[in-house]
Amino acid sequence: MQAELLVLRLVHVLGGVFWVGSALFMAIFLFPALASAGPAAGQVMGALQRRRIFTILPVIALLTVLSGVRLMQLTSGGFSAAYFSSPSGRVFAWGGTFAIAAFVIGILIARPMGLKLGKLNAQPPTDDAAEQGRRDAERARLQRIVMVVGIVNLLLLLLAAGAMAIAQYV
């Protein structure tokens, strides 16, 4: 069991660092830069898609959540009520809840919107002014959604990471 705990903790902590760090970078730097780049953002989004960010990041997030659930199962004595009535147990549970919420929002909203935005940005410019106007309006709409969802996800992940950092000490 000791080896399992070590492996789970390693996967959970490193996965969480990557997930939260990616969310910080995207919400604070990447999305605002892409929004100001206009059509040139398509090349960046296309390059990110080719590097499979919309596949790799959800897999890392899933591994982080699953390792966290297993860690909680092991350390709580099989999800015992007594553990979750303790201050530490409650804080760990809230942290896990925030992370799972961020994962679900990421999978159900952020990933599909990011893929849609990437496809839109990958389209070559058109000479049809009406069509280009429609694309630009759709691009702006999707960018706003992605930015808002990114900020919500970032806040949830910061709450999760904060809870995980202090739970043992409350």
Side-chain angles (χ1 to χ4, degrees):
M1 183 160 107
Q2 185 67 21
E4 181 184 12
L5 280 172
L6 291 175
V7 170
L8 288 169
R9 190 152 167 81
L10 188 65
V11 169
H12 190 68
V13 170
L14 293 179
V17 165
F18 185 84
W19 189 11
V20 174
S22 295
L24 273 166
F25 170 74
M26 288 190 281
I28 295 172
F29 299 107
L30 182 62
F31 295 149
L34 290 174
S36 68
Q43 293 176 344
V44 175
M45 289 301 292
L48 289 172
Q49 282 182 314
R50 285 189 298 280
R51 286 171 178 79
R52 301 177 33 192
I53 190 170
F54 299 113
T55 301
I56 293 169
L57 191 53
V59 167
I60 289 171
L62 179 62
L63 290 172
T64 303
V65 168
L66 292 176
S67 61
V69 169
R70 178 66 176 145
L71 280 167
M72 191 173 286
Q73 180 186 21
L74 292 172
T75 59
S76 70
F79 302 113
S80 74
Y83 177 81
F84 291 106
S85 65
S86 73
S88 290
R90 282 193 301 273
V91 173
F92 274 125
W94 275 109
T97 301
F98 293 137
I100 290 169
F103 177 75
V104 169
I105 289 169
I107 291 296
L108 296 181
I109 300 171
R111 184 176 187 275
M113 290 293 163
L115 291 170
K116 196 173 188 179
L117 186 57
K119 286 180 185 174
L120 179 64
N121 284 333
Q123 293 177 351
T126 179
D127 291 333
D128 182 350
E131 175 61 18
Q132 191 61 46
R134 186 197 64 75
R135 286 182 191 177
D136 291 344
E138 180 66 3
R139 180 181 297 110
R141 184 185 76 80
L142 289 172
Q143 285 174 338
R144 281 191 306 274
I145 293 170
V146 167
M147 285 180 68
V148 169
V149 171
I151 290 168
V152 169
N153 250 1
L154 174 59
L155 293 174
L156 287 168
L157 289 173
L158 289 173
L159 287 169
M164 300 300 163
I166 67 167
Q168 184 175 346
Y169 306 103
V170 296

